[in-house]
Each structure stands twice: as structure tokens, then as C-alpha cells.
Amino acid sequence: MAETADLTLDGKTISLPVIEGTEHEKAFDIGKLRDQTGYVTYDPGYKNTGATKSAITFLDGEEGILRYRGYPIEQLAEQASFLEVAYLLIYGTLPTQAEFDAFRYKISQHTLVPEDVRKILDGFPSSAHPMGILGSIVCSLTAFYPQSISPQMSAEELDLNIVRLIAKITTIAAWSYKNSVGHPFIYPRNELDYTANFLYMLFSYPTEEYKQNPVVVSALNKLFILHADHEQNCSTSTVRLVGSSNASLYGSVSAGINALWGPLHGGANQEVIEMLEAIERDGGDTSKFIAKAKDKNDSFRLMGFGHRVYKNFDPRAKIIKKAADEVLQALGVQDSPLLKIAKELEEAALTDQYFVDRKLYPNVDFYSGIIYKAMGIPTEMFTVLFAIGRLPGWIAQWKELRENKEPIGRPRQIYTGETERNYVPMAERA
Ligand code: CMC
């Protein structure tokens, strides 16, 4: 007999169906709860709410497991390329060589952005944060490709929009940076691999071409893979919620970029490095900052620690920590004072009762910033790199939502405001 959960309210019992995923995760289906009882559920921050069924990413926070379409993150980070992982997330299977070649070729043919994008970029002050620019320009693609807003588009048209977005995001990202430092834009070079082309556009000048370093290219490829999807996190849920109104792919992803920017989400990678630099400037005493993080009267948090889902360790952080050691060694900056402070902070936090009790471990953002810094990536671009990495996940989740014909997202609330009262004309107000 199918498993159910009984709920008794005012002497009446209703049975809630239990649904189970392929990894034996279970949920009560409360879809008819309000109709049957007049009650809704209350779960601020959606800590216990399964908002969708999804076949893309499996995550077990207790065991520290992360798999894309069934493949362990450790294997993908070690052996795959970022575009291969993008294909896997979006289309559900690892590509054959022919499928991969065709996908990569199509992406390489769409790296140019419309020339008028330069005029939009011109309008931004040089102080603009590249994440703000990225979100705006991605949304502006709806204007350059107006057919992309039609919810009725064919599978071929959707594929074209997907390819365009993956291809153009690196050009837009690199140009957002060039704009912020007042340097000339560098056009893509389609013969370069995806990651190398991004580095080329970010670091080259018309007068001097950036010399690719295989260590940097390979580390960035790995970082992009580690960021590529993370099931229903804040930005992905944003993409799905916006997409559920039949909003376009570009509009939905632009919303996801803005959600990612927040310092509690992807913006934490910039905050981590700024925190480590602040500790260094302060003389390097980590205990002072740990005490601040524990002080409930102080809003300071140890950035790069804690996660809504991972309660033992973040498997991505484990891979990144190892990569940080390797990259810094290969680049000859293994004695980086920031890495030393980071390691001290990690060690102190992991033995401190406050962090142990709350299961606060280093997350993906803790070590990624150190690698980015060693590569010479400007701090304000850290979250932009997270966005490039996360793009295939957002696309896959948006596509899945459409394919599953999910209803528009519209949570309920418990109203706590004033009850009915009469309008008072302005002259009579106290
Ligand atoms: N430093 C100090 N205390 C913390 C921290 C931290 N980084 N994170 C959580 N806590 C405390 C928090 O004060 C609370 O304590 P108490 O129970 O005494 O009130 C307890 O731990 C639980 O925290 P919470 O805010 O209820 O946990 P959450 O699941 O809502 O938040 C989080 C998760 C990631 C937003 C939070 O841990 C945090 O703010 N971390 C720092 C920002 C960060 O590194 N974000 C990147 C997340 S990973 C990348 C991504 O996917 O976005």
C-alpha cells in the first residue's frame, strides 16, 4: 500500500500522500492541503519545502554528496571539460564526441555580442559593479533577440537561445570588467577553448596578447564545473520562479544573476577575500574575527562558512582546497599570506564549539577566491565567475520547468498586518 502521513485537525484526519525520489528522499505531498483543511504550511526561507521534482542534481548534505545527472562531482571535476558538463546538465546525458564537437562549434560561432551592446556599456559609470552590468546586459538580449520572449518557441529556437547565452556570457563578463577599468574591449577568438577564450578577453590588450597558462585554464575549468549546478539554491529557485510565469530564458537568468550577487549567496566569494585581506591588514589575528563572528551583538559573519544544506562538509570545498594548494604551488605563490590566514581560520573554526555545534564548515566560496586571486582575477569579478559557472545549471533547471509544464510559482503567506479599518481623511490624521 502506498505510504501516507496522517494529519489530524479539529478531530478530522486527512491522509497526505508520501512521494519518494530515486535516492529515497521523501516528502509529504501537501498540494491539496488548503482545499481539504483551509490551512497552508509555514516555512520561511523554504528550509523544509520541496518546490519541485527535478532529475538534474542530487545533493546529500549529511553525507557531503553532490552528483550531476548521477555523476559524482569529484569525477566530473577531475576528468570532464566545462562544456561537456554544461551539455550533461542541459540535455541529460554525456555527449558523444560528435555531439560534443557540434555543441562546442555552435558555441564558438555565437561568442560575438551585438555591437549595440557597446553603447549600453558606455552608459554605465566606471564604478559599476560587473555583476550589475552582467545582469542588465543578459536581460537586454531579449531586445536583440525578440523572438526569445515567445513561450511557444520550437526546440530548435530554444537550443539557439541556449547556445547564444552560453557563448555570449563570457564576452559580456569580460567586457563588464574592461568597462569598469576603462580599457578597450577585446573581441573573442573562436579557435580558443571556452575557458581560454574568456581569459583572453579578460586579460589581453590590443597591444599585448595574454599568454595562456595551462595551470590557470585547467583550474578555471574545474572551478566552473564545481559551480555548474546546486539544485534548488536561491538563484536557481529565482530562475525557476521567474521562468514559471513564462518569462524568457534571458530574463529569468538575469534575475538569477541578481539573486546570486547577494553576499549570503555567490557574493560571498568576493566577501571572503575582502575579509581575509582585512584580517591581514589588522595584523593577522584570526581569533579576533572568530570572536566577532560568535558575538550575537555583532552582525559580522565568517564569510565562506556555513551552508543551508551541507552539515558535515561541502564536497566542492574539499576539491577546491586541494586545487588551491596545487595552483598556488604551480604559480609559485604558495606562501600567500591569505592562504595562511584562510587555513588558520578554517582550523580554528573547526575546533571552536560555536562552529562545531552549528555545523559550520568552509563552503565553496572559502577557497575559490584565493585561487582567483592567485590567477590575477580582479576581486569584483569573483561572483561573475560564479555566474558563468552556474549558467548551465540555471538553463537546465529553466528547461526542465518548461518541459514538466510546472504551474506558476505563487507561495501563500500568513498575514500579520492590521485588520480592517476605515480610511481617515488627511486633515483629520493626528
Ligand atoms: N558565521 C557565524 N555564524 C554563522 C555563520 C557564519 N558564517 N553562518 C551561520 N551562522 C550561525 C547563525 O548565526 C545561526 O546561529 P544561532 O543558531 O545561534 O542563531 C546558525 O549559525 C544558523 O545560521 P542560519 O543563518 O540560520 O543558517 P542558514 O542555513 O539560514 O544560512 C548561510 C546559511 C550560508 C546563509 C550562512 O551560513 C551564512 O551566512 N554564511 C556566510 C555567507 C556565505 O559564506 N555564503 C555562501 C554560501 S555557499 C555558496 C552558495 O551556494 O551560495
Side-chain angles (χ1 to χ4, degrees), residues 183-212:
H183 290 166
F185 301 133
I186 301 296
Y187 282 80
R189 285 237 327 256
N190 292 349
E191 78 277 13
L192 291 175
D193 137 87
Y194 188 80
T195 308
N197 186 37
F198 171 60
L199 290 165
Y200 165 77
M201 289 187 284
L202 189 65
F203 289 130
S204 291
Y205 295 92
T207 46
E208 195 174 332
E209 187 172 323
Y210 169 70
K211 283 191 190 58
Q212 300 285 347

Side-chain angles (χ1 to χ4, degrees), residues 100-411:
F100 180 67
D101 290 346
F103 184 59
R104 191 172 52 175
Y105 177 74
K106 272 194 284 179
I107 288 173
S108 76
Q109 296 304 294
H110 286 274
T111 51
L112 277 177
V113 294
E115 274 299 290
D116 281 346
V117 163
R118 298 186 60 143
K119 293 190 198 144
I120 306 179
L121 283 168
D122 266 352
F124 284 102
S126 59
S127 57
H129 193 288
M131 276 299 274
I133 300 182
L134 186 72
S136 310
I137 303 286
V138 165
C139 195
S140 81
L141 294 178
T142 52
F144 294 103
Y145 306 105
Q147 64 284 20
S148 67
I149 61 176
S150 166
Q152 277 82 39
M153 78 181 73
S154 65
E156 291 71 35
E157 285 170 320
L158 175 59
D159 277 346
L160 178 59
N161 283 315
I162 290 173
V163 161
R164 275 193 190 125
L165 192 47
I166 297 175
K168 293 180 199 315
I169 197 166
T170 49
T171 312
I172 299 168
W175 285 15
S176 317
Y177 170 65
K178 291 289 188 190
N179 190 66
S180 72
V181 285
H183 290 166
F185 301 133
I186 301 296
Y187 282 80
R189 285 237 327 256
N190 292 349
E191 78 277 13
L192 291 175
D193 137 87
Y194 188 80
T195 308
N197 186 37
F198 171 60
L199 290 165
Y200 165 77
M201 289 187 284
L202 189 65
F203 289 130
S204 291
Y205 295 92
T207 46
E208 195 174 332
E209 187 172 323
Y210 169 70
K211 283 191 190 58
Q212 300 285 347
N213 180 337
V215 173
V216 171
V217 176
S218 144
L220 194 53
N221 181 63
K222 192 176 281 195
L223 283 162
F224 282 160
I225 292 173
L226 292 174
H227 287 87
D229 195 45
H230 214 232
E231 52 118 298
Q232 306 312 316
N233 57 85
C234 176
S235 56
T236 302
S237 297
T238 301
V239 170
R240 286 189 89 120
L241 189 59
V242 174
S244 77
S245 74
N246 274 354
S248 71
L249 177 65
Y250 302 144
S252 307
V253 165
S254 165
I257 290 170
N258 289 310
L260 183 75
W261 192 5
L264 296 186
H265 191 9
N269 60 9
Q270 175 173 339
E271 301 267 335
V272 168
I273 213 78
E274 286 171 357
M275 175 186 78
L276 296 177
E277 285 169 347
I279 297 176
E280 189 192 11
R281 277 196 304 276
D282 194 61
D285 181 6
T286 47
S287 61
K288 201 163 132 188
F289 287 80
I290 292 196
K292 260 170 85 63
K294 286 159 55 176
D295 181 355
K296 290 290 164 201
N297 296 317
D298 191 327
S299 61
F300 174 79
R301 283 190 165 198
L302 217 48
M303 298 313 284
F305 277 78
H307 197 275
R308 171 61 62 79
V309 187
Y310 292 123
K311 297 301 174 197
N312 280 323
F313 67 95
D314 179 338
R316 302 167 301 173
K318 215 171 168 181
I319 301 171
I320 292 185
K321 184 179 176 182
K322 190 164 163 271
D325 279 331
E326 289 164 6
V327 172
L328 268 60
Q329 185 89 32
L331 297 176
V333 286
Q334 64 273 34
D335 297 327
S336 147
L338 294 190
L339 185 64
K340 191 170 160 280
I341 292 173
K343 288 194 168 163
E344 264 179 48
L345 212 53
E346 177 181 359
E347 212 174 294
L350 293 183
T351 50
D352 188 297
Q353 209 52 42
Y354 174 95
F355 291 86
V356 174
D357 287 348
R358 289 166 183 76
K359 299 183 188 301
L360 301 170
Y361 296 86
N363 58 45
V364 69
D365 291 324
F366 191 62
Y367 282 104
S368 60
I370 294 173
I371 307 188
Y372 292 147
K373 195 169 167 69
M375 289 172 176
I377 307 274
T379 311
E380 289 206 329
M381 286 297 283
F382 289 5
T383 315
V384 171
L385 267 65
F386 193 151
I388 297 174
R390 183 55 53 89
L391 181 64
W394 289 331
I395 294 172
Q397 302 267 353
W398 186 94
K399 187 166 169 278
E400 183 181 67
L401 164 101
R402 287 294 171 91
E403 286 165 355
N404 292 350
K405 300 193 172 30
E406 286 187 20
I408 186 167
R410 204 302 186 186

